[in-house]
Amino acid sequence: MTSLTSPDYIGRFAPTPSGHLHFGSLVAALASYLDARSVGGRWLLRMEDLDPPREEPGAQAAILKALESYGFEWDGTMIRQSERHAAYAQVLDQLFNHGLAYACTCSRKQLEPYHGIYPGLCRNAGHPGEDAAIRLRVPELEYHFNDRVQGQYRQHLGREVGDFVIRRRDGLYAYQLAVVLDDAWQGITDIVRGADLLDSTPRQLYLQELLGLRQPRYLHLPLITQPDGNKLGKSYRSPPLRADQATPLLLRALRALGQTPPADLDDATPAEVLKWGSAHWDATLIPRTLTLPEALLR
Ligand code: GLU
Ligand code: ZN
């Protein structure tokens, strides 16, 4: 007998509770879900609640409710990054004690002239680890990977990123560290997420290499850009996903992903739309880029 779920594919959706889900998050949830389910894979849910000050009260519950009303069913219990601090601390201490990471006391003002690329000012300062940001030393090397939609992506860590923060001065762990540890811990084989994270991936590849973790496959979804070229997102006040719009918005998201659902799904339940989507999923049809009118009208 063939088993229903295959350990060969474990995917995930990893929302940040800084706000409600919007159409862009729905596209990410849907694509990661269908990519997993279409091959009998598992689909996990992880709440990326690393930054309590930026968390919107009630956002976690609203995200779960939206996912449920849109017909998504995840495997196992959801994990929260806020419950994983001990694991992050252990790795961070290891990196620090081995000299792979160091404490940085630079102020924001001091770093202003460098446009986000840390120039290594504290590299050899030997600051103690308390009351300081912790930065990971990056090698003077180019990291590259082959994305299933975006193709070859390359980035020189030394020149384009610089030593990056893995724990902030206020003690909060950085996304880059947490995401790599959690994806490995949860056995994630395939990462499907928005292309806004494309330029984070080389940092994550470096962390995986450093920690001896397996590299997952990557699929970065097209970002929806406004007619003015700006990215559609939380800053554009995209409306929250309404429960009574589940079927039409799922169909719109499917079309944005290059899939061609038939007209008779217009009256289907969200679960039926997902079922159709998983039976007909073709990731090779996903467009590399998408403008807002395309996303809405296709
Ligand atoms: N939590 C991130 C977000 O909401 C996604 C992280 C990821 O998929 O790697 O944008
Ligand atoms: Zn510094």
Side-chain angles (χ1 to χ4, degrees):
M1 235 177 84
T2 55
S3 77
L4 213 60
T5 57
S6 150
D8 297 343
Y9 189 114
I10 304 177
R12 48 58 157 197
F13 179 57
T16 302
S18 56
H20 51 70
L21 295 184
H22 51 83
F23 185 69
S25 0
L26 176 63
V27 170
L30 180 63
S32 62
Y33 180 87
L34 296 180
D35 204 52
R37 294 302 194 220
S38 64
V39 295
R42 290 169 62 78
W43 188 68
L44 311 183
L45 180 62
R46 181 169 76 227
M47 193 59 72
E48 301 213 314
D49 54 350
L50 280 176
D51 194 346
R54 283 192 47 218
E55 187 162 334
E56 188 185 288
Q60 293 203 20
I63 288 171
L64 297 183
K65 218 175 129 225
L67 289 174
E68 276 162 15
S69 62
Y70 278 62
F72 292 102
E73 286 177 4
W74 53 93
D75 292 306
T77 47
M78 177 186 79
I79 74 143
R80 287 191 175 82
Q81 291 191 322
S82 56
E83 291 158 4
R84 294 266 302 146
H85 287 191
Y88 308 149
Q90 198 195 347
V91 171
L92 188 124
D93 288 347
Q94 242 172 40
L95 293 170
F96 187 78
N97 293 336
H98 286 97
L100 295 161
Y102 60 90
C104 166
T105 56
C106 296
S107 66
R108 195 167 298 178
K109 187 147 188 72
Q110 241 173 313
L111 297 178
E112 226 163 64
Y114 303 101
H115 308 289
I117 300 173
Y118 184 69
L121 302 176
C122 294
R123 256 196 172 200
N124 304 311
H127 297 305
E130 298 87 45
D131 192 30
I134 305 295
R135 289 185 185 270
L136 191 69
R137 280 175 209 278
V138 299
E140 288 298 324
L141 286 176
E142 184 179 83
Y143 278 73
H144 55 89
F145 68 103
N146 200 15
D147 188 88
R148 289 169 59 200
V149 166
Q150 308 296 330
Q152 269 288 317
Y153 185 82
R154 40 186 74 242
Q155 189 182 53
H156 191 284
L157 282 184
R159 282 201 296 271
E160 295 176 65
V161 180
D163 299 343
F164 60 90
V165 172
I166 52 176
R167 197 190 68 202
R168 288 172 12 186
R169 192 172 193 153
D170 59 11
L172 295 182
Y173 293 97
Y175 157 71
Q176 308 292 355
L177 180 70
V179 77
V180 165
L181 295 181
D182 289 345
D183 284 335
W185 180 61
Q186 295 188 285
I188 303 299
T189 62
D190 287 80
I191 293 180
V192 176
R193 62 186 178 192
D196 53 333
L197 293 166
L198 200 50
D199 69 354
S200 282
T201 307
R203 271 170 272 185
Q204 297 171 16
L205 298 180
Y206 173 55
L207 269 165
Q208 288 154 5
E209 181 186 88
L210 204 55
L211 300 169
L213 304 172
R214 183 167 82 161
Q215 181 184 322
R217 285 179 291 256
Y218 288 98
L219 190 165
H220 284 88
L221 299 162
L223 283 190
I224 303 168
T225 51
Q226 306 263 103
D228 62 8
N230 279 309
K231 152 182 180 217
L232 182 75
K234 290 164 189 149
S235 54
Y236 284 91
R237 299 178 173 278
S238 337
L241 298 174
R242 280 173 40 189
D244 63 348
Q245 292 290 303
T247 292
L249 286 181
L250 281 168
L251 290 170
R252 184 178 285 178
L254 272 175
R255 294 192 180 101
L257 289 164
Q259 316 296 304
T260 48
D264 62 11
L265 279 180
D266 288 356
D267 303 312
T269 64
E272 287 165 345
V273 176
L274 293 181
K275 197 166 165 218
W276 182 92
S278 133
H280 297 86
W281 178 243
D282 184 353
T284 65
L285 298 175
I286 300 172
R288 277 189 69 182
T289 58
L290 205 57
T291 65
L292 185 59
E294 281 172 335
L296 298 181
L297 299 174
R298 280 156 73 106

